[in-house]
Amino acid sequence: ANKINLGNGNDLQIYHDGTNSHLHNATGEFKIRGNDVRLMNAAGNELYFYGSANSYSALYYDNSKKLETTSYGARVYGNFENHNGFITVKDDGKFTVGNSDDLQIYHDGSDSYIDEVGVGALMVKGSTIALRCSSSIGLRNLDNSENLLRAFPDGAVELYYDGVKKCETHA
C-alpha cells in the first residue's frame, strides 16, 4: 500500500490497505486541533462526536446527543446505566429529582437525608418496606424543627404530636 510518511522516522503514516484507511502515529501525542471538531460517518450526515472551543463537547449515538459536558460537569440525555454497581457522591453532594429539585438524597458528613422539599408528599411504597440503621430512624417536619416519629434498634418507638412526645413503646 502506498503511504504518506511524515517525520524523521515515519512517525506519522496515512495510508489505505485495500480495506481500511489508517492514520498511524508512532510517537508522542496525536493531536487534532480546531475551534470546532466533528467526527462523522463517511456520508457526512451522522455525528459521533462534537467539540467546540470554550464551549461543550458531546457524544452521539445514531446521530442523537447522549452525553454533553457543561460548566458544572456533564449532562446525560436518556438513561444512565452503571454496570459496576456504584455511583459515588461525596459529602454534601446531592441526588436531586424533579423540575425544582423536589426530592433530594444526600449525606452531610454526619447524617443521611431523604428530603421532599417540594409541595408534594414523600411516598414510600413496597410489598415489604425495611429501613435499616445503626442508631435511630426519625421522621421530622419539612423545616426539620419537630420530631414526628423516632425508632431505635432494640429499643423504643416514639410518636410525637406538634413536636411533643405523646407515645413511647417499652419492653
Side-chain angles (χ1 to χ4, degrees), residues 127-141:
S127 58
T128 302
I129 297 172
L131 301 175
R132 299 184 331 161
C133 67
S134 59
S135 58
S136 68
I137 292 177
L139 296 177
R140 299 181 60 84
N141 65 343

Side-chain angles (χ1 to χ4, degrees), residues 61-130:
Y61 177 85
D62 197 18
N63 215 33
S64 175
K65 188 186 301 184
K66 296 301 175 187
L67 181 69
E68 173 183 272
T69 60
T70 65
S71 61
Y72 55 84
R75 180 179 295 129
V76 175
Y77 294 86
N79 295 327
F80 174 79
E81 294 182 21
N82 180 354
H83 290 283
N84 64 7
F86 293 95
I87 298 174
T88 302
V89 177
K90 301 296 183 191
D91 289 347
D92 295 317
K94 294 182 179 182
F95 285 106
T96 61
V97 179
N99 290 341
S100 300
D101 298 332
D102 303 315
L103 175 64
Q104 301 178 1
I105 302 172
Y106 59 97
H107 182 78
D108 69 4
S110 299
D111 298 311
S112 298
Y113 297 87
I114 301 174
D115 280 349
E116 167 54 54
V117 297
V119 295
L122 176 63
M123 308 296 281
V124 180
K125 295 180 179 183
S127 58
T128 302
I129 297 172

Side-chain angles (χ1 to χ4, degrees), residues 17-80:
D17 64 11
T19 305
N20 299 304
S21 297
H22 300 266
L23 286 172
H24 177 78
N25 180 48
T27 185
E29 295 179 4
F30 185 79
K31 297 179 181 180
I32 299 173
R33 294 172 49 176
N35 289 332
D36 291 312
V37 176
R38 298 173 196 273
L39 296 178
M40 303 180 80
N41 67 344
N45 60 5
E46 187 170 329
L47 193 58
Y48 305 141
F49 169 83
Y50 173 78
S52 180
N54 300 312
S55 186
Y56 71 94
S57 297
L59 294 174
Y60 292 76
Y61 177 85
D62 197 18
N63 215 33
S64 175
K65 188 186 301 184
K66 296 301 175 187
L67 181 69
E68 173 183 272
T69 60
T70 65
S71 61
Y72 55 84
R75 180 179 295 129
V76 175
Y77 294 86
N79 295 327
F80 174 79

Side-chain angles (χ1 to χ4, degrees), residues 4-17:
I4 298 172
N5 294 302
L6 302 168
N8 291 336
N10 297 326
D11 300 324
L12 176 63
Q13 299 178 353
I14 302 171
Y15 62 95
H16 185 76
D17 64 11

